[in-house]
Amino acid sequence: IKGDLITAPLADQAGAMIELCKKYPELDAQRIGIFGWSFGGYFACHATMQRPDVFKAGCAGGSVADWRDYDTHYTERYMGMPQERAEAYDKTSVLTYAKDLRVPLLLIHGTSDDNVYFFHTLKIADALFRAGKKYELLPLAGFTHSVYEPEAVKAMWSRIVGFFQENLGK
């Protein structure tokens, strides 16, 4: 993943899903959804935007939009300096692929997230809006990078399950 945080992991997971569907014909390859939080949310965005042939709906929580806007201590260890590797940063940015979204996507983010700031999801939403793409947004007012309050957890998971039921079938 040095210099490219998404290409190899996405190829790995998409390939695994394809092989699982071949090996187990009872799996419905037309109803594969993906959920992730933090890096997993970043991954879910890319999966829906770059591999809609495999992932038919996605839910992305607390997602990084562009590594230029994330913690430099973490990012530069893997990506190098943004001014020296602009092409790599563009290639790994969710914003680069927003125009390619063709499957349902639910974005979730705590508005008080102090790890992956809420503006990351706002940037994704803006890029999708400007590209004329449909998406759903669930802002979690006052929550940080984790949702611990039992009622909020229950409501959030109810929304996620409902989203997948609606978009992938029951």
Side-chain angles (χ1 to χ4, degrees):
I1 61 171
K2 181 72 172 171
D4 183 346
L5 292 168
I6 195 62
T7 302
L10 184 55
D12 180 58
Q13 294 300 304
M17 290 308 305
I18 291 166
E19 291 305 313
L20 281 169
C21 288
K22 287 179 186 174
K23 185 172 182 174
Y24 301 101
E26 63 272 22
L27 295 177
D28 186 346
Q30 298 308 306
R31 296 175 62 201
I32 298 173
I34 186 164
F35 166 82
W37 200 276
S38 197
F39 183 88
Y42 165 79
F43 187 93
C45 285
H46 276 285
T48 58
M49 294 172 189
Q50 292 192 58
R51 293 304 306 265
D53 59 312
V54 176
F55 302 100
K56 306 304 182 184
C59 177
S63 175
V64 169
D66 188 316
W67 292 109
R68 290 175 183 93
D69 297 322
Y70 190 62
D71 177 24
T72 56
H73 175 70
Y74 175 89
T75 302
E76 291 171 5
R77 178 175 10 164
Y78 298 104
M79 295 293 296
M81 300 294 287
Q83 59 272 32
E84 296 169 5
R85 302 198 30 90
E87 186 176 306
Y89 276 79
D90 290 342
K91 181 180 179 181
T92 60
S93 175
V94 170
L95 307 177
T96 299
Y97 303 94
K99 68 187 180 335
D100 300 321
L101 182 69
R102 295 192 313 265
V103 298
L105 177 61
L106 170 60
L107 302 170
I108 303 174
H109 212 124
T111 62
S112 297
D113 194 330
D114 56 355
N115 180 359
V116 180
Y117 300 131
F118 181 59
F119 77 82
H120 281 271
T121 288
L122 292 177
K123 281 184 157 186
I124 296 168
D126 181 65
L128 292 168
F129 168 74
R130 291 175 185 275
K133 302 300 179 176
K134 289 175 63 174
Y135 63 93
E136 293 184 40
L137 174 62
L138 175 59
L140 301 174
F143 285 95
T144 61
H145 200 58
S146 299
V147 181
Y148 291 111
E149 184 183 301
E151 289 301 314
V153 170
K154 182 179 175 183
M156 180 184 73
W157 279 105
S158 178
R159 175 75 180 272
I160 293 167
V161 169
F163 171 80
F164 283 121
Q165 286 176 333
E166 180 181 325
N167 291 289
L168 298 175
K170 295 183 181 183

